Amino acid sequence: MKIVADDKIPFLKGVLEPFFEMVYLPGGKIGPADVRDADALITRTRTRCDRALLAGSKVGFIATATIGFDHIDTAALRELGIDWTNAPGCNAASVAQYLACVLADFRIPLAGKTLGVVGVGNVGSRVVRVGEAFGMRVLQCDPPRAEREGGSRFRPLDELVAEADFLTFHVPLERGGGHPTFHLADAALLAAMKPGAVLINTSRGEVVDGSALKAALQAGSIGGAVLDVWEHEPEIDLELLELVRLGTPHIAGYSTDGKANGTAMSVQAVGRHFGVIEYTGWTPYSLPVPEQPLIRLDAALPESEQLSAACRASYDIRFDDAQLRADPAGFERQRGNYRIRREPPAYRIEGGAPVVRTALAKLGFQLA
């Protein structure tokens, strides 16, 4: 059987070859001719899996090594009789690491500040724990879950917008249905934000109205913005890039650990679908060890500086921001050739104030 796979999916090459003919291609360039005689696809978000790509092909199964699946036309696949799976939660810890580093980068006391989390699924739930680890007041908004679960855990969006010092989005891109998220952060939402508040988006670029955000930042009506995802990727708005506090090329979920999880879930799904039991429990054998796995903290420094130092040592978000600003046309290349980034459990913390060590342990760091 033949499988066409995105050539940027890590840890995949050489794994399935004993049982499948593998063809690796750039995800954004996979076309109908490439999949016509393929039995399955393993993709990322850059391959639009729809009728135009798949009609008349042999494809019976698609695995996307990503949480999001708005690049998959699920209705078309259902009509074509093609099964599919995604990798829910695979990079949730990676996005949480990104959010922790964003918050720590402000180098201010975070205890008592309000974090508004919009979308509390696999990723959002992890982000809630980040805010709690930092001693923040955390407000949660998730209308679909509120409808299913009831109770007082979830708050209306307008309350988060009015009260949050940091407002972060972790929702799927939905253009219709009962809870559309396309341009959820529009001019009206931005105008209602608390003065000085910061908007963060790591979900999908179209969740935020880029033009409205640009106008709000130019007017100084909000305190700032951090964007990892952008409308019209990879052709991003260069004026908006200049205005945001931090801008990165859609890599919040790109930790080495998260990518390994996504690949493992896809390989396991292929094994289940085709009945190849050798793959149903497969995981990468080992991940690269960080160059500096021991992080030493100075307890004499302000606690906010200690938190910032630990987060920066595990993931230097400023490096990714600088790369994108220096070469915005290289957006896709920076994603495809992203560096090794390990998550907090790969690091040990030595020293630091007790309250900082407690917070870092809650983030997953090991204590020496």
Side-chain angles (χ1 to χ4, degrees):
M1 291 176 287
K2 178 178 178 180
I3 296 177
V4 174
D6 186 312
D7 64 357
K8 298 301 184 185
I9 296 175
F11 308 108
L12 182 61
K13 291 180 181 176
V15 173
L16 292 167
E17 277 77 353
F19 290 86
F20 299 91
E21 175 191 352
M22 298 297 298
V23 176
Y24 299 95
L25 298 169
K29 296 183 179 180
I30 294 174
D34 301 310
V35 304
R36 187 167 293 118
D37 62 345
D39 297 282
L41 299 179
I42 304 178
T43 70
R44 298 186 306 149
T45 57
R46 289 303 187 245
T47 305
R48 177 65 183 167
C49 299
D50 55 13
R51 186 177 296 277
L53 177 68
L54 299 161
S57 74
K58 286 177 55 185
V59 173
F61 182 67
I62 296 174
T64 181
T66 60
I67 290 178
F69 54 88
D70 50 274
H71 57 295
I72 294 178
D73 186 337
T74 57
L77 265 60
R78 185 166 53 250
E79 293 170 4
L80 293 168
I82 299 173
D83 294 329
W84 67 276
T85 185
N86 63 324
C90 67
N91 63 357
S94 177
V95 179
Q97 177 190 33
Y98 181 97
L99 260 291
C101 291
V102 167
L103 294 170
D105 185 75
F106 282 80
R107 301 187 185 186
I108 60 172
L110 294 168
K113 296 289 185 182
T114 299
L115 176 66
V117 181
V118 185
V120 195
N122 285 310
V123 175
S125 296
R126 292 268 193 159
V127 172
V128 167
R129 295 200 287 272
V130 168
E132 292 172 344
F134 284 158
M136 303 178 78
R137 171 181 177 242
V138 183
L139 302 180
Q140 305 177 48
C141 174
D142 193 314
R145 287 192 63 185
E147 289 179 357
R148 294 194 304 267
E149 301 171 24
S152 58
R153 175 181 178 184
F154 301 108
R155 305 276 291 276
L157 179 60
D158 59 354
E159 293 186 13
L160 270 70
V161 172
E163 299 181 36
D165 297 295
F166 298 91
L167 184 66
T168 180
F169 291 85
H170 303 282
V171 297
L173 179 60
E174 300 286 353
R175 295 179 182 271
H179 301 287
T181 59
F182 177 78
H183 282 187
L184 180 62
D186 58 8
L189 181 146
L190 294 166
M193 285 179 66
K194 181 179 179 179
V198 175
L199 179 145
I200 306 167
N201 188 20
T202 58
S203 57
R204 286 292 183 264
E206 293 83 359
V207 168
V208 174
D209 182 338
S211 296
L213 177 59
K214 183 163 61 174
L217 291 170
Q218 289 169 335
S221 59
I222 65 172
V226 175
L227 295 182
D228 179 58
V229 291
W230 310 73
E231 284 194 291
H232 316 302
E233 291 178 13
E235 306 297 329
I236 67 174
D237 186 328
L238 300 184
E239 292 182 349
L240 183 56
L241 175 60
E242 289 296 317
L243 291 166
V244 299
R245 177 186 171 91
L246 292 167
T248 51
H250 200 153
I251 48 73
Y254 265 37
S255 72
T256 304
D257 308 63
K259 289 192 286 187
N261 290 339
T263 300
M265 293 171 76
S266 294
V267 169
Q268 291 166 14
V270 167
R272 290 192 300 270
H273 183 82
F274 291 104
V276 185
I277 60 172
E278 286 83 352
Y279 296 124
T280 54
W282 180 86
T283 58
Y285 293 112
S286 62
L287 299 183
V289 176
E291 290 184 9
Q292 300 291 338
L294 180 63
I295 301 172
R296 293 185 173 90
L297 299 180
D298 183 354
L301 291 174
E303 292 171 4
S304 59
E305 290 290 336
Q306 295 177 52
L307 283 173
S308 175
C311 289
R312 190 170 61 252
S314 70
Y315 167 46
D316 185 359
I317 193 172
R318 287 281 170 179
F319 177 87
D320 288 340
D321 172 82
Q323 290 278 97
L324 183 58
R325 292 181 194 276
D327 182 22
F331 190 100
E332 261 329 62
R333 184 175 63 258
Q334 291 167 41
R335 292 188 82 219
N337 300 307
Y338 192 60
R339 60 203 171 100
I340 298 296
R341 181 194 359 143
R342 294 299 311 278
E343 292 174 6
Y347 295 88
R348 291 183 298 122
I349 301 295
E350 183 179 273
V355 67
V356 173
R357 289 174 61 83
T358 298
L360 293 174
K362 291 179 179 178
L363 294 178
F365 288 91
Q366 306 299 311
L367 300 182

